[in-house]
Amino acid sequence: MFLKRSYRKEIIDDVSISDERLHRALYELNIINLLLGGNSVSRAGLSAVTKHSSSDKVRILDVGSGGSDLFFNLKVHGRTAETVSTDMNLEACRYIKQQHPGAKAVCCNAMWLPFKPESFDAVHFSLFFHHFKENDMAEILNCAKEVAACGIVINDLRRSVFALWGIKILTLLFSRSRMIRNDAPLSVKRGFIKSELKRILSFVNGCSFTIRRKWAFRWLVYCTKK
């Protein structure tokens, strides 16, 4: 465990990056999520949040989506997931459309989501919140609450010395992306301990939150609207 979160910026926080560095990083992040349990964490949260939805399709807003690979061909409770991805980096939105023709991707700020109230069943954030300071996180969550009919799902990193050394070794051995080799260990340092998550979530009204530890060094947080 680290005593304090790091607030040092990651390379990927520069939303002006639009070259092969970004494409390679998004490709490797998809592999990391697939192999280290990230996708299963998101699926569990989405299932919990949308289980009472009566919609024929589960409508998901994936905020700060990066490559948004989880959602293509995803089914929740046997229903097809209809997904809109958002990212502040315009090239990330283009990447999604290039990789998945027909995908819907919107370039926008997570603090000002350009969607009508309750226009999605669930709003999803994966490996997103560790990029922000606590006050910004609370503001983003309150914005997300307005566009979510059922609830919010957060999939993010648990701060741990073991996680730090594990990701350093993995990226050193297998990553070809300088961005990933720099950002992945820093992401762990910017991750959370449980008390920090509880404090942030206390500023979000009208939601009931559940926090669970998941493999590997992940937090699953999901909220159902009251």
Side-chain angles (χ1 to χ4, degrees), residues 19-215:
D19 53 33
E20 178 58 28
R21 290 176 296 167
L22 179 65
H23 290 209
R24 183 71 202 180
L26 294 177
Y27 171 77
E28 290 193 7
L29 280 171
N30 177 44
I31 295 174
I32 289 170
N33 273 319
L34 185 65
L35 297 180
L36 295 184
N39 289 353
S40 62
V41 172
S42 289
R43 288 192 186 96
L46 290 166
S47 293
V49 164
T50 63
K51 62 183 177 182
H52 298 303
S53 170
S54 59
S55 304
D56 292 334
K57 291 184 177 181
V58 179
R59 303 160 301 161
I60 301 170
L61 181 65
D62 187 24
V63 178
S65 59
S68 205
D69 299 274
L70 163 67
F71 294 99
F72 300 101
N73 302 316
L74 173 68
K75 290 186 179 295
V76 181
H77 299 297
R79 293 171 291 170
T80 301
E82 185 177 85
T83 304
V84 174
S85 303
T86 77
D87 203 286
M88 276 193 68
N89 189 318
L90 181 59
E91 186 60 27
C93 295
R94 290 178 179 145
Y95 176 88
I96 292 169
K97 293 180 179 180
Q98 289 168 1
Q99 297 297 310
H100 306 280
K104 298 176 183 178
V106 178
C107 185
C108 66
N109 190 318
M111 294 184 186
W112 298 283
L113 296 171
F115 305 102
K116 294 179 181 179
E118 299 192 350
S119 50
F120 296 90
D121 293 303
V123 179
H124 171 264
F125 303 91
S126 178
L127 299 182
F128 177 77
F129 276 116
H130 69 263
H131 293 277
F132 294 89
K133 294 183 178 179
E134 286 78 358
N135 289 344
D136 291 335
M137 290 175 60
E139 187 173 347
I140 291 168
L141 283 169
N142 277 303
C143 181
K145 181 186 66 176
E146 298 304 314
V147 301
C150 299
I152 300 168
V153 176
I154 300 169
N155 171 357
D156 222 306
L157 300 172
R158 180 158 56 91
R159 196 163 75 245
S160 161
V161 171
F162 298 107
L164 175 64
W165 283 106
I167 201 65
K168 279 186 174 182
I169 293 168
L170 283 173
T171 53
L172 181 64
L173 291 176
F174 299 110
S175 176
R176 292 169 50 198
S177 166
R178 187 177 72 85
M179 188 184 294
I180 292 295
R181 291 196 300 270
N182 175 83
D183 287 1
L186 182 53
S187 291
V188 174
K189 293 180 181 180
R190 295 179 68 167
F192 306 97
I193 58 174
K194 192 172 185 177
S195 60
E196 291 166 344
L197 288 174
K198 285 184 173 180
R199 185 171 64 251
I200 294 160
L201 298 173
S202 70
F203 293 102
V204 184
N205 298 318
C207 285
S208 175
F209 284 96
T210 300
I211 304 173
R212 292 181 177 170
R213 285 190 180 196
K214 293 288 185 177
W215 188 88

